Amino acid sequence: MDNAASKKPCCERVGEFFKSAKFLIYLGHALSTWGDRMWNFAVAVFLVELYGNSLLLTAVYGLVVAGSVLLLGAIIGDWVDKNPRLKVAQMSLVVQNSAVILCGVLLMAVFQFKVQLTTLYNGWLLTTCYIMVITIANIANLASTAMSITIQRDWVVVVAGDDRSKLADMNATVRIIDQLTNILAPMLVGQIMSFGSHFIGCGFISSWNLFSMCLEYFLLWKVYQKTPALAFKAGQKDADDQELKHLNVQKEIGNIESPVEGSQLMNETAEVKKNTSCCYQMTEPIRTFKDGWVAYYNQSIFFAGMSLSFLYMTVLGFDCITTGYAYTQGLNGSVLSLLMGASAISGICGTVAFTWIRKKCGLIRTGFIAGVAQLSCLILCVASVFAPGSPFDLSVSPFDEVLKHLFGDSGSLRESPTFVPTIEPQIQINATVFEEAPQVESYMSVSLLFAGVIAARIGLWSFDLTVTQLIQENVIESERGIINGVQNSMNYLLDLLHFIMVILAPNPEAFGLLVIISVSFVAMGHMMYFRFAYKSLRNRLFLFCSPEQKPDPNIPSLPNSV
């Protein structure tokens, strides 16, 4: 079959690829992430502009987003598991894009009539608009989370089938698309807002999401048609059985032939009524939340998932915190743009390296190698703390800056703090306004810092893809949604903690301490993965030496994961 396919003309093979379900998923994902990256970049800028160049609304938005995913991640994943794939994907797509369009229209109205809104009802109408913008944007983010779980954690696995090499290639390609859109999409919308206005930027993003929603809806339907396996879902069968049981009980309760049968049917009816009672339905989200975290803890890949989450507890990334620190160390916007480009190239190299190392060494060993590579590069970041030019000084209290901005020099509480860090999990933006960078004595420290950060992204993205595929391969189909929902919650939790850490120690003198803490958390994360890898590989070696021995049920047993 493969030989026959290889003998086809090149044009025919290219045509088949462009018509395949794999390419349609790539195209749909590119459209979706392009819109997401434009919106994630723009909404932070819009909120800063609306509140008089203050980061307060942006910080509130970040807290709301993080808290929502943290609390609702398992519930979203459970909803993904219990509903048909096409319905979940289409509903998530429509809700996400409709929310962005509505939010864009609302922002256009606020920008156009801000002066009038400020005077109406003592400004309460404008405050209501702020609340509505943040709420609708949060709904869009939750729908985006559901869409990400559905497509990247479920549909990709089904389309790849039993070919784990194909699954690895698809995961890597999806990640490369993420990297490219993460750089290019903000550049485009930034140029539109720079040469036009925020009003035009809102209109462009709303128009894009309307166009993208229609095209993505069609692409989802085509992928569903080309992949018959997507129509069958393990989690849906249990829900259908429960509904059928409820209908049968109601039907048979009138056909009682004996007291014994009548008693059994009455007991079943009581059980059904209990499960459909008001109190039971109201407490179902709480039970789903608990069951999701318990199921996550009982997974064989629990330590692998936790290791990935710990990597979010770091200031060593290209977000507003690191770029803001770089500005205090004398780097201007032009240099930082080049460094962000180098970071993107490094991330793409990491995704390519993942596919090559996996073929040579296996999936689990790839994660081990990626972890060692990332930790080795982060040694440069630790060295930068003590290198010439570093502002690191433990004699300066990390709380002095917070107290100064909150209370001022007189000790009285200020009306509005001038320093509110941006809290935006998984949103890579640069909201810093670069004017003239301050002069420093030496660039040795900041050079080592960014050299380590950029180089470490090769190992970081290889490790991310490794854990992603381990979850895809080892979580049963009926639990993919809820397990990945809890995984997203864990990622947001650790990411939120790192912003809280920055709030407690915002001054540049304490940044070196934050670097050391970040590297420590990354090291702890990789130690968890090393434990997982050691037990997995040891179990396989033991099974190889003793074929009659039963495998450990808590260890993944897929042969291609070695």
Side-chain angles (χ1 to χ4, degrees), residues 250-288:
Q250 289 183 334
K251 181 179 178 181
E252 295 175 6
I253 196 169
N255 301 325
I256 302 174
E257 298 179 357
S258 67
V260 177
E261 291 179 1
S263 176
Q264 292 176 350
L265 286 173
M266 291 300 292
N267 290 336
E268 291 180 1
T269 304
E271 181 181 354
V272 170
K273 287 183 178 180
K274 177 183 176 182
N275 293 341
T276 57
S277 63
C278 182
C279 295
Y280 186 87
Q281 294 293 332
M282 289 178 62
T283 57
E284 184 175 1
I286 300 176
R287 290 194 306 275
T288 301

Side-chain angles (χ1 to χ4, degrees), residues 48-61:
V48 171
E49 179 69 20
L50 286 176
Y51 208 66
N53 292 324
S54 170
L55 296 175
L56 179 61
L57 285 183
T58 310
V60 172
Y61 169 67

Side-chain angles (χ1 to χ4, degrees), residues 123-316:
W124 280 106
L125 187 58
L126 183 61
T127 302
T128 304
C129 291
Y130 293 157
I131 296 173
M132 290 178 62
V133 167
I134 292 175
T135 303
I136 298 171
N138 184 47
I139 293 173
N141 183 75
L142 292 175
S144 177
T145 301
M147 190 69 176
S148 175
I149 293 173
T150 302
I151 301 300
Q152 298 184 38
R153 302 295 187 263
D154 187 31
W155 283 45
V156 168
V157 180
V158 177
V159 171
D162 296 329
D163 190 343
R164 311 217 184 277
S165 295
K166 182 179 179 181
L167 178 60
D169 293 337
M170 291 187 69
N171 286 332
T173 304
V174 166
R175 200 67 72 205
I176 290 174
I177 293 173
D178 290 339
Q179 289 283 336
L180 293 176
T181 55
N182 196 34
I183 296 297
L184 300 177
M187 289 175 58
L188 174 63
V189 73
Q191 293 300 316
I192 291 174
M193 290 189 294
S194 297
F195 291 99
S197 64
H198 291 93
F199 182 86
I200 296 176
C202 290
F204 176 78
I205 293 174
S206 297
S207 302
W208 171 271
N209 277 271
L210 179 60
F211 163 77
S212 177
M213 178 176 63
C214 299
L215 186 53
E216 286 180 64
Y217 198 94
F218 171 75
L219 292 174
L220 287 173
W221 174 249
K222 292 296 293 182
V223 172
Y224 191 79
Q225 284 185 321
K226 290 178 176 292
T227 313
L230 289 172
F232 303 96
K233 193 173 185 181
Q236 183 64 21
K237 184 176 182 299
D238 297 334
D240 293 341
D241 290 343
Q242 285 292 108
E243 184 177 357
L244 183 62
K245 179 182 177 181
H246 177 57
L247 293 175
N248 288 337
V249 168
Q250 289 183 334
K251 181 179 178 181
E252 295 175 6
I253 196 169
N255 301 325
I256 302 174
E257 298 179 357
S258 67
V260 177
E261 291 179 1
S263 176
Q264 292 176 350
L265 286 173
M266 291 300 292
N267 290 336
E268 291 180 1
T269 304
E271 181 181 354
V272 170
K273 287 183 178 180
K274 177 183 176 182
N275 293 341
T276 57
S277 63
C278 182
C279 295
Y280 186 87
Q281 294 293 332
M282 289 178 62
T283 57
E284 184 175 1
I286 300 176
R287 290 194 306 275
T288 301
F289 179 85
K290 187 188 94 170
D291 294 343
W293 285 87
V294 171
Y296 180 77
Y297 176 77
N298 292 327
Q299 292 294 316
S300 59
I301 43 80
F302 168 72
F303 281 105
M306 284 292 293
S307 67
L308 179 62
S309 297
F310 267 61
L311 268 57
Y312 282 79
M313 177 67 177
T314 177
V315 297
L316 303 175

Side-chain angles (χ1 to χ4, degrees), residues 325 329 382-393 442-446 508-509 511-512:
Y325 171 77
Q329 297 306 296
V382 177
S384 72
V385 177
F386 308 99
S390 172
F392 182 57
D393 186 2
S442 174
Y443 290 97
M444 176 67 72
S445 175
V446 72
E509 291 81 7
F511 190 80

Side-chain angles (χ1 to χ4, degrees), residues 414-449:
R414 293 186 176 184
E415 293 183 0
S416 61
T418 59
F419 176 81
V420 183
T422 307
I423 303 180
E424 297 167 335
Q426 299 177 338
I427 297 176
Q428 300 293 326
I429 69 167
N430 180 11
T432 308
V433 178
F434 297 100
E435 297 174 356
E436 183 179 356
Q439 297 295 323
V440 295
E441 296 180 359
S442 174
Y443 290 97
M444 176 67 72
S445 175
V446 72
S447 298
L448 286 174
L449 175 69

